[in-house]
Amino acid sequence: MKKLVYLFGPERTEGSGKMKALLGGKGANLAEMARLGLPVPPGFTIATTVCVHYLKAHRLPQALKSEVRRGLRFIEQSTGKRFGDVDNPLLLSVRSGARASMPGMMDTVLNLGLNDEITAGLARKTNNRRFALDAYRRLIQMFGDVVLKTGREEFEAELSAARTRLGVKTDIELDEAALENIVQRFKAIVREKTGTEFPQNPDEQLWLAIDAVLKSWNNPRAGEYRRLYNIPDDWGTAVNVQAMVFGNLGSDSATGVLFTRDPATGEKSLYCEYLPNAQGEDIVAGIRTPLPALTLKQELPEIYEQLEKIARRLERHYRDMMDVEWTVEQGKLYILQCRVGKRSPQAAVKIAVDMARERLITRAEAVRRIDPEKVSALLHHRLSPDASYQVAARGIPASPGAASGEIVFSAVKAVAEAQAGKKVILVRHQTSADDVAGMAKAEGILTAAGGTTSHAAVVARGMGKPAVVGCSELVIDYEAGTLKIGGQMLRAGDVITIDGTSGNVIIGPVKMEPPQLTEEFATILAWADRFRRLKVRTNADTPADAQKAREFGAEGIGLCRTEHMFFAPDRVGVMQEMILAEDEAGRKQALDRLLPMQRQDFVEIFRVMDGLPVTIRTLDPPLHEFLPREDEKISQLASRLGITAEKIRTTIEKLAEANPMLGFRGCRLGIVYPEITAMQARAIFEAACQVQQEGVRVLPEIMIPLVSDVEEFIRQRRLIEQVAEQVFAETGVRVRFTVGTMIEVPRAALLGDEIGRVAEFFSFGTNDLTQLTYAYSRDDYGRFFTAYQHLGIVQDNPFDTLDTRGVGMLMKWCVKAGRRTNPKLKLGICGEHGGDPRTIRFCHEIGLDYVSCSPFRVPVARLVAAQAALGATERKDG
């Protein structure tokens, strides 16, 4: 293997910020900051290649020991201290550092190098025995949990008991005698749990810690995090070994986290939280509520001024908002690490726009930086201004947006309840990395402890989930399953509402309102529109949906499902009459009553979409879906129509199919019952002629569903054109229109050249195309699909993200074949995949003209389409 260890520090640095794959994000940034001359404690980074080798070969590379010794000598020379020395001890931190940020997922050990003798020496050197004992108990606690796998519970119980005995609230108030007793108790816990003494040899501690950090790459929570964020398992983690500096040396010492801009709002101001006389883990754990930047400015003004200068310098250098960990040891500032800061979707957009306006980045870079998976959180609901409610408690607003849901107290319960279709709020004293799966499934997160840089806050912002943290008024009893809030006792399953923008917690549901686009979001989307080639349409069946989509920038309707119009209470009865009619005359009689209803629907939609194309799909679902199943409803229908219930049951039995989604539906209905297609075509053309006379520019596109043979399409198109000519003759108005088909049957995709000769557009209906390609039923595949994912047979759900290898191959074939016989063929996608970022990128690659998605996904689709174009071209921002 090549070089395994890279040094960093004021005197010498062997890496750089460009080496994240090798040094991990933390190691690369430490090296970069050292190169910039920032006050970084010296250390060394063990490369990610060591982790990869170790996990495969189950042993460390032979050369690692000598390289680590070289690294230790470098730290000793830089600090003037010696590792393992009693009188002038060097203590180390050992941290993980993957190339992608994985906050709290892997393991850390601080204060490494202490034993009984060295602790006494440290007390003499610092003239602060309490500090030395506190550092020792922290080492035993972290080392026991991370390295020796004792768990944290008994350590925490001892600390809690000590606080109770002394009548104090925080660990910082524990006196020297209490800490001495705690050290002994902690050593006893290690002895009881492991059968051996806490290791007294510093070298042994170091190698055991390195081993534990390398292994932590494969711990369950890290694996879950990688799965959620699509981080490859074979990247491995680096190990960062660094000289300890101490924020817990007294009132002139502190530790904190700062963001160069507000991570929740994106405002350009130093955003900082800190704790005096503390170590960094105290902030992350959320055990003590940290102090804000204003207090730091008042208490330590020189440090605040230094941090401001460093923050601006890091922003200029990295051209991004940075998250910085720092420590002050007896008045001297040290920067422990920096990384690109996690931020709320709202902040991400504002920061990108502001930085482009400040000329730190280009507009193209601003568009590229927005994570489309998270930015949809800007479209989340918020509390309605006219809603009436009482605030039961207030916490710290940590991630914007509002959510209501049933209380759950564990991540496991959150996952189970969400899978059962319930909306839940995960309520915890504080979250940890083990809660990530539940946080991903919850509507929002509420914690009793922690600040805006706690685990709950950082992860919620990254996920785009509303979160309220540090709500000290909460009293949670996990065993009893109760939550005391605002003088009321709630239980698991009770509904609460949280507002991550204000920090308010409310008992019961609250009226919400749809989100509005911010000025910055509108700006980033306008910039995105300059770069994208793909057009973005919407799937909309009502004027309200069409209006909302147009507000979000939709450039037309790519799918209007006419059957949704028939399910309305005042129409389904007429539809049922049509289905139950004994002959064509009876069917036409019912269809004549449906005609004005359907026509008015199209009139309203055409008016909303003035000047934009509207793709209308003729009736698609099997007829049995319109008929009742329950005896009571069958009897009511029979009574209303004046027929026997038995006749209805006979019709239902006649329409019954073993697999209705593969049966009598789609264009097959229109071919066997042409009067259905004729009525729908008449409604479309009469509506189009009416609104055109009003001055509305109308562009109807009629889409025939479930075509598997060109003859099906030809027959339906011929009928539609006949009706069009009849309406044009009756009204004296002519409207331009096109007729195309939905490609949702594999055979149609394979015969794209034949169908392309006679169709004017194809729209890929990838929901059914996926069903029919995989032979997965959308309604039933969940019974085995989770097992398939665990077994590694499949990774992505093909109904969420398009299967580009199989279904995508059919699409590519169809695109090529269709355009070969019809170069003017318009191509789009209208399945639910049309709003999925990875699918949109694929659609760009294969040359589709547009994607169509639900109204609230339109902004995301506009953004992704631009990112796809920017990734595919060398176009520069103008």
Side-chain angles (χ1 to χ4, degrees), residues 172-400:
I172 197 172
E173 298 171 274
L174 295 172
D175 60 23
E176 188 179 308
L179 286 170
E180 188 158 16
N181 182 57
I182 286 169
V183 166
Q184 297 308 314
R185 282 297 307 136
F186 278 14
K187 287 163 66 178
I189 290 170
V190 169
R191 191 163 51 247
E192 291 160 11
K193 291 280 188 180
T194 66
T196 59
E197 297 293 334
F198 179 78
Q200 295 289 299
N201 184 316
D203 282 326
E204 182 186 359
Q205 291 178 12
L206 176 60
W207 284 104
L208 285 172
I210 290 171
D211 181 81
V213 170
L214 292 171
K215 285 179 178 174
S216 73
W217 175 254
N218 276 344
N219 72 38
R221 63 176 183 263
E224 176 70 15
Y225 191 92
R226 290 199 296 274
R227 189 187 66 77
L228 280 173
Y229 290 97
N230 297 310
I231 297 171
D233 287 332
D234 59 1
W235 277 4
T237 182
V239 182
N240 299 287
V241 179
Q242 192 172 15
M244 282 289 298
V245 289
F246 302 99
N248 56 335
L249 264 172
S251 59
D252 60 350
S253 301
T255 189
V257 176
L258 73 83
F259 292 84
T260 57
R261 304 191 187 209
D262 190 315
T265 67
E267 292 297 325
K268 188 178 180 181
S269 60
L270 195 66
Y271 190 87
C272 181
E273 288 188 334
Y274 82 105
L275 286 171
N277 200 13
Q279 287 197 347
E281 293 301 305
D282 297 344
I283 287 188
V284 176
I287 294 165
R288 291 164 59 190
T289 300
L291 302 175
L294 182 60
T295 307
L296 177 66
K297 191 173 185 178
Q298 294 167 345
E299 297 293 324
L300 298 168
E302 290 183 5
I303 296 298
Y304 184 88
E305 188 178 335
Q306 288 179 58
L307 286 172
E308 271 198 319
K309 289 179 181 176
I310 288 170
R312 299 284 80 83
R313 187 173 181 191
L314 287 172
E315 264 205 0
R316 287 194 301 271
H317 183 77
Y318 283 96
R319 298 162 59 248
D320 209 338
M321 186 268 275
M322 303 303 291
D323 169 358
V324 183
E325 291 183 18
W326 54 272
T327 287
V328 175
E329 181 184 286
Q330 295 182 319
K332 180 173 172 55
L333 175 65
Y334 294 93
I335 304 299
L336 303 185
Q337 74 172 62
C338 80
R339 59 190 169 207
V340 172
K342 290 191 180 296
R343 62 208 75 181
S344 71
Q346 176 185 340
V349 172
K350 180 168 176 54
I351 290 168
V353 171
D354 286 351
M355 285 190 165
R357 287 171 173 165
E358 293 163 22
R359 300 190 180 277
L360 277 175
I361 60 175
T362 65
R363 291 180 177 183
E365 286 174 301
V367 170
R368 282 194 192 99
R369 281 190 180 180
I370 306 302
D371 185 339
E373 302 278 6
K374 296 173 184 173
V375 81
S376 59
L378 286 179
L379 308 173
H380 285 173
H381 286 72
R382 57 185 178 181
L383 300 185
S384 177
D386 61 355
S388 176
Y389 58 85
Q390 284 191 324
V391 176
R394 283 187 174 86
I396 300 169
S399 186

Side-chain angles (χ1 to χ4, degrees), residues 329-512:
E329 181 184 286
Q330 295 182 319
K332 180 173 172 55
L333 175 65
Y334 294 93
I335 304 299
L336 303 185
Q337 74 172 62
C338 80
R339 59 190 169 207
V340 172
K342 290 191 180 296
R343 62 208 75 181
S344 71
Q346 176 185 340
V349 172
K350 180 168 176 54
I351 290 168
V353 171
D354 286 351
M355 285 190 165
R357 287 171 173 165
E358 293 163 22
R359 300 190 180 277
L360 277 175
I361 60 175
T362 65
R363 291 180 177 183
E365 286 174 301
V367 170
R368 282 194 192 99
R369 281 190 180 180
I370 306 302
D371 185 339
E373 302 278 6
K374 296 173 184 173
V375 81
S376 59
L378 286 179
L379 308 173
H380 285 173
H381 286 72
R382 57 185 178 181
L383 300 185
S384 177
D386 61 355
S388 176
Y389 58 85
Q390 284 191 324
V391 176
R394 283 187 174 86
I396 300 169
S399 186
S404 295
E406 295 180 13
I407 296 168
V408 294
F409 293 107
S410 73
V412 172
K413 190 69 172 175
V415 172
E417 294 292 278
Q419 287 176 342
K422 294 182 180 178
K423 295 182 183 296
V424 300
I425 303 292
L426 179 61
V427 180
R428 303 284 291 164
H429 181 70
Q430 63 203 53
T431 63
S432 70
D434 296 318
D435 295 317
V436 168
M439 295 171 77
K441 294 294 184 182
E443 298 297 307
I445 295 100
L446 171 64
T447 69
T452 53
T453 53
S454 65
H455 179 270
V458 171
V459 174
R461 281 197 297 270
M463 291 179 171
K465 304 270 183 183
V468 175
V469 301
C471 188
S472 57
E473 300 169 62
L474 304 184
V475 180
I476 303 167
D477 187 332
Y478 291 129
E479 270 191 40
T482 60
L483 168 67
K484 189 175 182 182
I485 177 175
Q488 295 190 48
M489 187 67 76
L490 304 181
R491 297 191 171 276
D494 290 340
V495 174
I496 59 172
T497 299
I498 63 170
D499 184 357
T501 305
S502 67
N504 291 338
V505 182
I506 301 149
I507 297 172
V510 178
K511 180 183 175 184
M512 304 272 183

